[in-house]
Amino acid sequence: MIKKIVGTFLLLFITITAFSQTFVGDWKGNLQVGHSSLVFIIHLSQENGVWKATADSPDQGAFGIPAKANVNGNGIEVLIEGGISYIGKMEQDDLIGGEFQQGTFRAKLDLMKIKVTPNNIKTIRSQRVFPPYSYDTVDVNFRNKYDDVLLSGTLTTPRQKGKFPAVVLVTGSGPQDRNETLMGHEPFRILSDFLTKNNIVVLRYDDRGVGLSKGSFINASIENFSKDAMAAIDFLKERPNVDPGKIGIIGHSEGGLIAELLAGQKFPALSFIVSLAGPAIPIDSLMVSQLYRIGKVAGMSELALSHAKEINKRNFEVVKSNRPHMEAMAMILDNMKIDPAQLNSSSKLELETLLLPSYRYFMRIDPIPFIKKITVPVYAAFGNLDVQVPADQNLKSLKNNLPYNPKTVLKKYEGLNHLFQKSTTGAVSEYEHISETMNSEVLNDLVKWIKSL
């Protein structure tokens, strides 16, 4: 569940530089937040007299964040997406001294010029899929008749004759293509390849408004995405080589939530579901836990985390309420102690995202009433290092609320993160630097379970 959330503790990065050609390059600083610190890297270039900048916050998995720099002599003012400002001056050829500010928070921040090499070296992926394939693959289009949206995807099928179990892959939050491509990984391509090689038909598709799929992503709610998944199931059940009694959903993160919602509503063609790190607690509670865990892994102090947790709770209460847009925005700004006059266009857009109708709809979702009505077999998997959908909370909810089914499996995988990679801390910043895309134990377990149904 990779959502860009504005939270007080998400004090993302800083900087940029600009004093003649001395400012061109990459700069690194450590921002002290309580007893912890966050690393920031700024990339600055100049083209035709215009400064261009991006920033990285590796500890929080944020890379290439837009920023604007204004230079005056040996001084610099930087405005960074997220309501952050940085004012500094060149003290040496390789040192900028300055101050970081976000809302009422201020801190000294010095930046050293560095040679950035790690992020320029692409990690070699240990799992890749290349043709020729040992199965049939075809690009397909199918229509969501519920919303009248044309979706595009890829269908992979075994070459043997017969009828096979089939699954629809449903992506996590944010605009995703059919491979769920992120940070150099293609989890759904790896998953689809492994399943199809084991005689399971797989349909994966671009989210509406993404890739070759039509429709609007930004205006769609989770209800609309659920209908897209329903349309995908309708498409599968018409395939001649699909066993109509063995059609399921494998959903990752928000996709797992969609699987739970459809199963709880007893969508008739759905025979089983697999929830990979799917939320099983109210979404506002999930987001508070997610932000807390991300901050903790990033090294924030318990005092700062507790303070941010209370603010995030209040913010999400406002978001999921029915308060009018302007009133809700004023309350969020007051919660975060931000002067509206300090907001630039980028930070305003960030805050406006929280109050989009689709996001407010999402924040109001409580999956527990749906989970209580699920009767089909469920395979629910979580990584114990997942900072986005914490394993223990969500497993506990499933154990307490999911009706008994002898074929249901609830499992926690040791050492795996939100993407089901072997990880050190589970931090989002590790995702792109791990060569593994999806752990083989999870892949093998899914095949064995589906074939046992």
Side-chain angles (χ1 to χ4, degrees):
M1 179 171 291
I2 302 177
K3 279 193 180 294
K4 201 172 185 184
I5 301 301
V6 177
T8 304
F9 85 78
L10 290 180
L11 302 166
L12 282 183
F13 44 72
I14 303 84
T15 51
I16 305 204
T17 47
F19 178 55
S20 73
Q21 291 303 311
T22 309
F23 283 89
V24 173
D26 306 297
W27 302 80
K28 179 180 178 181
N30 290 286
L31 176 67
Q32 287 296 132
V33 184
H35 297 293
S36 61
S37 65
L38 297 175
V39 173
F40 298 105
I41 299 174
I42 304 305
H43 311 282
L44 187 70
S45 62
Q46 190 179 36
E47 296 180 18
N48 300 321
V50 177
W51 289 100
K52 294 188 176 182
T54 60
D56 303 333
S57 179
D59 293 331
Q60 294 182 314
F63 298 91
I65 307 163
K68 294 181 180 179
N70 299 313
V71 177
N72 184 7
N74 68 341
I76 179 172
E77 178 186 31
V78 185
L79 300 177
I80 304 169
E81 193 174 274
I84 297 168
S85 65
Y86 178 78
I87 298 176
K89 70 175 184 178
M90 183 73 72
E91 296 183 352
Q92 300 175 19
D93 286 347
D94 61 351
L95 174 65
I96 300 172
E99 183 182 70
F100 168 93
Q101 181 175 355
Q102 183 181 33
T104 59
F105 176 83
R106 292 174 179 265
K108 180 174 174 56
L109 181 68
D110 294 336
L111 304 172
M112 295 292 296
K113 200 167 191 177
I114 60 170
K115 290 185 177 180
V116 176
T117 54
N119 289 339
N120 294 334
I121 301 173
K122 292 192 176 293
T123 304
I124 298 174
R125 304 299 176 209
S126 60
Q127 296 163 296
R128 303 288 288 177
V129 177
F130 298 106
Y133 308 113
S134 59
Y135 47 83
D136 292 329
T137 178
V138 60
D139 291 335
V140 298
N141 294 314
F142 59 96
R143 185 168 295 279
N144 172 351
K145 63 183 180 182
Y146 310 97
D147 286 346
D148 193 25
V149 174
L150 186 66
L151 301 168
S152 181
T154 299
L155 181 69
T156 54
T157 60
R159 286 181 177 158
Q160 301 94 313
K161 291 184 178 181
K163 290 186 178 292
F164 304 96
V167 295
V168 172
L169 305 188
V170 182
T171 65
S173 60
Q176 304 276 355
D177 66 17
R178 66 193 69 187
N179 296 321
E180 205 186 37
T181 304
L182 74 164
M183 298 188 186
H185 291 281
E186 296 180 312
F188 277 11
R189 183 190 289 272
I190 300 300
L191 180 56
S192 175
D193 176 74
F194 191 84
L195 294 173
T196 312
K197 285 178 178 176
N198 283 278
N199 295 326
I200 297 169
V201 176
V202 181
L203 174 62
R204 64 191 197 273
Y205 58 95
D206 299 328
D207 290 349
R208 60 168 66 193
V210 177
L212 299 178
S213 288
K214 306 301 181 182
S216 170
F217 181 90
I218 194 67
N219 293 318
S221 69
I222 196 169
E223 180 181 3
N224 301 120
F225 297 130
S226 296
K227 290 176 180 177
D228 291 342
M230 290 162 60
I233 293 172
D234 290 340
F235 177 83
L236 273 184
K237 70 183 182 182
E238 300 299 325
R239 300 305 96 199
N241 59 349
V242 168
D243 182 343
K246 292 186 178 181
I247 298 177
I249 288 176
I250 299 180
H252 176 231
S253 197
E254 184 182 285
L257 174 63
I258 288 172
E260 294 165 1
L261 299 179
L262 292 180
Q265 295 173 81
K266 302 188 186 303
F267 186 63
L270 190 58
S271 306
F272 62 90
I273 64 169
V274 174
S275 177
L276 300 175
I281 60 176
I283 299 304
D284 60 328
S285 298
L286 175 77
M287 296 310 299
V288 171
S289 295
Q290 180 184 114
L291 293 173
Y292 180 90
R293 289 288 297 272
I294 291 174
K296 189 176 183 67
V297 168
M300 290 184 65
S301 70
E302 194 59 42
L303 180 63
L305 287 168
S306 297
H307 178 63
K309 187 175 184 179
E310 291 307 310
I311 293 175
N312 289 325
K313 281 182 179 179
R314 295 199 297 270
N315 280 351
F316 290 131
E317 280 296 324
V318 173
V319 171
K320 74 174 190 176
S321 74
N322 291 314
R323 296 180 187 277
H325 182 96
M326 295 302 293
E327 181 184 344
M329 178 62 74
M331 291 183 71
I332 290 173
L333 290 172
D334 183 61
N335 286 339
M336 300 174 71
K337 307 301 180 189
I338 293 177
D339 182 350
Q342 294 178 331
L343 293 174
N344 59 27
S345 58
S346 295
S347 52
K348 283 180 182 177
L349 180 61
E350 291 270 359
L351 288 171
E352 291 287 348
T353 300
L354 288 175
L355 296 175
L356 285 173
S358 58
Y359 191 77
R360 299 186 79 171
Y361 182 99
F362 176 71
M363 198 56 57
R364 296 179 186 125
I365 293 174
D366 179 0
I368 292 176
F370 296 90
I371 291 170
K372 288 181 175 180
K373 297 178 181 179
I374 295 175
T375 55
V376 298
V378 176
Y379 193 103
F382 299 89
N384 80 308
L385 295 181
D386 191 337
V387 298
Q388 295 183 255
V389 183
D392 291 339
Q393 279 179 292
N394 290 277
L395 271 173
K396 181 179 179 181
S397 177
L398 288 171
K399 289 175 181 177
N400 290 343
N401 297 297
L402 191 62
Y404 173 75
N405 186 308
K407 295 181 179 179
T408 287
V409 175
L410 308 178
K411 186 170 181 177
K412 179 168 67 173
Y413 290 84
E414 296 299 315
L416 300 191
N417 61 18
H418 186 64
L419 301 187
F420 294 90
Q421 305 166 302
K422 277 288 183 185
S423 179
T424 303
T425 68
V428 176
S429 59
E430 292 180 339
Y431 295 173
E432 72 170 334
H433 301 297
I434 298 173
S435 63
E436 177 178 74
T437 295
M438 183 173 285
N439 188 257
S440 59
E441 181 184 358
V442 179
L443 295 172
N444 282 303
D445 284 351
L446 291 182
V447 167
K448 289 177 184 177
W449 185 75
I450 292 172
K451 289 192 170 184
S452 72
L453 299 176

